[in-house]
Amino acid sequence: MTELELTYLDERELSQLSLPRDDSYGHDGAAARPNGRLDAVRLVMDESGNGNTSQPLIVGAVELGDDADDVEQQVRDLYKRLCAKRSFVGHPGFDEFRKNGFHSATDPLEVSGPFLELMRVLFFRAYIVVTDRTAVPGNTEAERIEFMYVKLLSDLLIRHRDKPELLCMIEQSEGMGATIRRLPGSTTSRAHKTLGKVAPLPELKIVMVAKADYMSVAIIDYIMSAVARWLQAKRPVSPKDWPYRAFREIEPSISLLYSFEDGRISSRKESLH
């Protein structure tokens, strides 16, 4: 696959990669271990728009802080409370929710509303890369998605170069097995190419999970849905437009929204509002 020479770490950021990090990035402000290294980073990842050319193709990652286990428990507690509601019995989509957990495409408002409220009080950072399929190499969706995973993960390896491990949980899907096996090697190689040298990087560990087994995966699912609706609506900026209001709700948690065609759309430092 031909690699596209794009990076969404700007030149100033790349030039500072060898400098000591401060506590301004994220909640992790994690204390160093006795060996001087910081704790592992935990990510949940997913893609959206696969095979549907009417939608943008999106790959997203949610970085959970040191309280990742607590976040997962809060999501599970909400799931249990909603499943216990008698009023949901017979509701369209309830059986699917009870079986598979949260999913933005099928959750009724009585589920999506409480989940979005919970997301507002949880700590996480989201990184989203998107394409309209014109500036990403690959003849198939699988090739495009793999390129996007490699690009996003390689920059996250560089961003967290002072940590020992990056544990990435990707939602289970058909046909992803071969891609998952290639990602650790190709991602590390891409990171070294971006740096222009072979340098120490976190060990990348990737596992596939079902939403029902690791319910925090639903966070990136909901974020990508809001981003996709906003992009499909031609990026409105008026509060009169519901896609904009939905996007604005989740934008504070987005550290980066990057288009391979248009560059940086929104970031922690350059939000739309």
Coordinates of all heavy atoms in Angstrom, one line a residue, residues 142-178:
A142 N -11.2 -2.1 3.3 CA -10.3 -2.7 4.2 C -8.9 -2.0 4.2 O -8.3 -1.8 5.2 CB -10.2 -4.2 4.0
E143 N -8.4 -1.7 3.0 CA -7.1 -1.1 2.8 C -7.1 0.3 3.3 O -6.2 0.8 4.0 CB -6.7 -1.1 1.4 CG -6.3 -2.5 0.8 CD -6.0 -2.5 -0.6 OE1 -6.4 -1.6 -1.3 OE2 -5.3 -3.5 -1.1
R144 N -8.2 1.0 3.1 CA -8.3 2.4 3.6 C -8.4 2.4 5.1 O -7.7 3.3 5.7 CB -9.5 3.1 3.0 CG -9.5 3.2 1.5 CD -10.7 3.9 0.9 NE -10.9 3.8 -0.5 CZ -11.7 3.0 -1.1 NH1 -12.6 2.3 -0.5 NH2 -11.7 3.0 -2.5
I145 N -9.2 1.6 5.6 CA -9.3 1.5 7.1 C -8.0 1.2 7.8 O -7.6 1.8 8.8 CB -10.4 0.5 7.5 CG1 -11.8 1.1 7.1 CG2 -10.4 0.2 9.0 CD1 -12.9 0.1 7.3
E146 N -7.3 0.2 7.2 CA -6.0 -0.2 7.8 C -5.0 1.0 7.8 O -4.3 1.2 8.7 CB -5.4 -1.4 7.0 CG -4.1 -1.9 7.6 CD -3.6 -3.2 7.1 OE1 -4.4 -3.9 6.4 OE2 -2.5 -3.6 7.4
F147 N -5.0 1.7 6.6 CA -4.1 2.9 6.5 C -4.5 3.9 7.6 O -3.6 4.5 8.3 CB -4.2 3.6 5.2 CG -3.5 4.9 5.1 CD1 -2.2 4.9 4.7 CD2 -4.2 6.1 5.3 CE1 -1.5 6.1 4.7 CE2 -3.5 7.3 5.2 CZ -2.2 7.3 4.9
M148 N -5.8 4.1 7.9 CA -6.2 5.1 8.9 C -5.9 4.7 10.3 O -5.5 5.5 11.1 CB -7.7 5.4 8.7 CG -8.0 6.0 7.4 SD -9.8 6.0 7.0 CE -10.4 7.3 8.1
Y149 N -6.0 3.4 10.5 CA -5.6 2.8 11.9 C -4.1 3.1 12.1 O -3.7 3.5 13.2 CB -5.9 1.4 12.0 CG -7.3 1.0 12.6 CD1 -8.3 0.6 11.8 CD2 -7.5 1.2 13.9 CE1 -9.6 0.3 12.3 CE2 -8.7 0.9 14.5 CZ -9.8 0.4 13.7 OH -11.0 0.1 14.2
V150 N -3.3 2.7 11.1 CA -1.9 2.9 11.2 C -1.5 4.3 11.4 O -0.7 4.6 12.3 CB -1.2 2.3 10.0 CG1 0.3 2.7 10.0 CG2 -1.3 0.8 9.9
K151 N -2.1 5.2 10.7 CA -1.8 6.6 10.8 C -2.1 7.2 12.2 O -1.3 7.9 12.9 CB -2.5 7.5 9.7 CG -2.0 8.9 9.7 CD -0.6 9.0 9.2 CE 0.0 10.4 9.4 NZ 0.3 10.7 10.8
L152 N -3.3 6.8 12.7 CA -3.8 7.3 14.0 C -2.9 6.7 15.1 O -2.5 7.4 16.0 CB -5.2 7.0 14.2 CG -5.9 7.4 15.5 CD1 -5.7 8.9 15.7 CD2 -7.4 7.1 15.4
L153 N -2.7 5.4 15.1 CA -2.0 4.7 16.1 C -0.5 5.2 16.2 O 0.1 5.3 17.2 CB -2.1 3.2 16.0 CG -3.4 2.6 16.5 CD1 -3.5 1.2 16.1 CD2 -3.5 2.7 18.1
S154 N 0.1 5.4 15.0 CA 1.5 5.7 15.0 C 1.7 7.1 15.6 O 2.7 7.3 16.4 CB 2.0 5.7 13.5 OG 1.4 6.7 12.7
D155 N 0.8 8.0 15.4 CA 1.0 9.3 16.0 C 0.7 9.3 17.5 O 1.3 10.0 18.3 CB 0.0 10.4 15.4 CG 0.6 10.9 14.1 OD1 1.7 10.5 13.7 OD2 0.0 11.8 13.5
L156 N -0.2 8.4 17.9 CA -0.5 8.2 19.4 C 0.7 7.5 20.0 O 1.0 7.8 21.2 CB -1.7 7.4 19.6 CG -3.0 8.1 19.3 CD1 -4.2 7.2 19.3 CD2 -3.2 9.3 20.2
L157 N 1.4 6.6 19.3 CA 2.7 6.0 19.9 C 3.7 7.1 20.1 O 4.4 7.1 21.2 CB 3.2 5.0 18.9 CG 2.7 3.6 18.9 CD1 3.4 2.7 17.9 CD2 2.7 2.9 20.3
I158 N 3.8 8.0 19.2 CA 4.8 9.2 19.3 C 4.3 10.1 20.5 O 5.2 10.5 21.3 CB 4.9 9.9 18.0 CG1 5.5 9.1 16.9 CG2 5.7 11.2 18.2 CD1 5.5 9.7 15.6
R159 N 3.1 10.4 20.5 CA 2.6 11.2 21.6 C 2.8 10.7 23.0 O 3.1 11.4 23.9 CB 1.1 11.5 21.4 CG 0.5 12.4 22.4 CD -1.0 12.7 22.1 NE -1.2 13.4 20.9 CZ -1.2 14.8 20.9 NH1 -0.9 15.5 21.9 NH2 -1.4 15.4 19.7
H160 N 2.8 9.3 23.1 CA 3.0 8.7 24.4 C 4.3 7.9 24.5 O 4.4 6.8 25.1 CB 1.8 7.7 24.7 CG 0.5 8.4 24.9 ND1 0.2 9.3 25.9 CD2 -0.6 8.5 24.1 CE1 -1.0 9.8 25.8 NE2 -1.5 9.3 24.7
R161 N 5.3 8.5 23.8 CA 6.6 7.7 23.7 C 7.2 7.5 25.1 O 8.1 6.6 25.1 CB 7.5 8.6 22.8 CG 8.0 9.8 23.5 CD 8.5 10.9 22.6 NE 8.9 12.1 23.3 CZ 8.1 13.0 23.8 NH1 6.8 12.8 23.6 NH2 8.5 14.1 24.4
D162 N 6.8 8.2 26.1 CA 7.5 8.0 27.4 C 6.7 6.9 28.3 O 7.0 6.8 29.5 CB 7.6 9.3 28.2 CG 6.2 10.0 28.3 OD1 5.2 9.4 27.8 OD2 6.2 11.1 28.9
K163 N 5.8 6.2 27.7 CA 5.1 5.2 28.4 C 5.4 3.8 27.9 O 5.8 3.6 26.8 CB 3.6 5.4 28.3 CG 3.2 6.8 29.0 CD 1.7 6.9 29.2 CE 1.4 8.2 29.9 NZ 0.0 8.4 30.1
P164 N 5.3 2.8 28.7 CA 5.8 1.5 28.4 C 4.9 0.7 27.4 O 5.4 -0.1 26.6 CB 5.9 0.7 29.7 CG 4.9 1.4 30.5 CD 4.9 2.8 30.2
E165 N 3.6 1.0 27.4 CA 2.7 0.2 26.7 C 1.5 1.0 26.3 O 1.0 1.8 27.0 CB 2.3 -1.0 27.5 CG 1.3 -2.0 26.9 CD 0.9 -3.1 27.8 OE1 1.8 -3.9 28.2 OE2 -0.3 -3.2 28.2
L166 N 1.0 0.7 25.1 CA -0.3 1.2 24.6 C -1.2 0.0 24.3 O -0.9 -0.8 23.4 CB -0.1 2.1 23.3 CG -1.2 3.0 22.9 CD1 -0.6 4.2 22.1 CD2 -2.3 2.3 22.2
L167 N -2.2 -0.1 25.2 CA -3.1 -1.2 25.0 C -4.3 -0.7 24.3 O -5.0 0.2 24.7 CB -3.5 -1.8 26.4 CG -4.6 -2.8 26.4 CD1 -4.2 -4.1 25.6 CD2 -5.0 -3.2 27.9
C168 N -4.6 -1.3 23.1 CA -5.7 -0.9 22.2 C -6.7 -1.9 22.1 O -6.4 -3.1 21.7 CB -5.1 -0.5 20.9 SG -6.3 0.0 19.7
M169 N -8.0 -1.6 22.5 CA -9.1 -2.5 22.3 C -10.0 -2.1 21.2 O -10.5 -1.0 21.2 CB -9.9 -2.6 23.6 CG -9.1 -3.3 24.7 SD -9.7 -2.9 26.4 CE -9.0 -1.3 26.7
I170 N -10.1 -2.9 20.2 CA -10.8 -2.6 19.0 C -12.1 -3.5 18.9 O -12.0 -4.7 19.2 CB -10.0 -2.9 17.7 CG1 -8.8 -2.0 17.7 CG2 -10.8 -2.6 16.4 CD1 -7.8 -2.2 16.5
E171 N -13.2 -2.8 18.6 CA -14.5 -3.6 18.6 C -14.4 -4.7 17.5 O -13.9 -4.6 16.4 CB -15.7 -2.7 18.2 CG -17.0 -3.5 18.4 CD -18.2 -2.7 18.0 OE1 -18.1 -1.5 17.7 OE2 -19.3 -3.2 18.0
Q172 N -14.9 -5.9 18.0 CA -14.9 -7.1 17.2 C -15.7 -6.8 15.9 O -16.8 -6.3 15.9 CB -15.5 -8.2 18.0 CG -15.0 -9.6 17.6 CD -15.5 -10.5 18.7 OE1 -16.6 -10.6 19.1 NE2 -14.6 -11.3 19.2
S173 N -15.1 -7.2 14.7 CA -15.8 -7.1 13.5 C -15.3 -8.2 12.5 O -14.1 -8.6 12.6 CB -15.7 -5.7 12.9 OG -14.4 -5.4 12.6
E174 N -16.1 -8.6 11.6 CA -15.7 -9.6 10.6 C -14.6 -9.0 9.7 O -14.6 -7.8 9.3 CB -16.8 -10.0 9.7 CG -17.9 -10.8 10.5 CD -19.0 -11.3 9.6 OE1 -18.8 -11.2 8.3 OE2 -20.0 -11.7 10.1
G175 N -13.6 -9.8 9.3 CA -12.6 -9.4 8.4 C -11.5 -8.6 9.0 O -10.5 -8.2 8.2
M176 N -11.5 -8.3 10.3 CA -10.4 -7.4 10.9 C -9.2 -8.2 11.4 O -8.2 -7.7 11.8 CB -11.0 -6.6 12.0 CG -11.7 -5.3 11.5 SD -10.6 -4.1 10.8 CE -9.8 -3.5 12.3
G177 N -9.4 -9.5 11.4 CA -8.3 -10.4 12.0 C -6.9 -10.1 11.4 O -5.9 -9.9 12.1
A178 N -6.8 -10.2 10.1 CA -5.5 -10.0 9.4 C -5.0 -8.6 9.7 O -3.8 -8.4 9.9 CB -5.7 -10.3 7.9

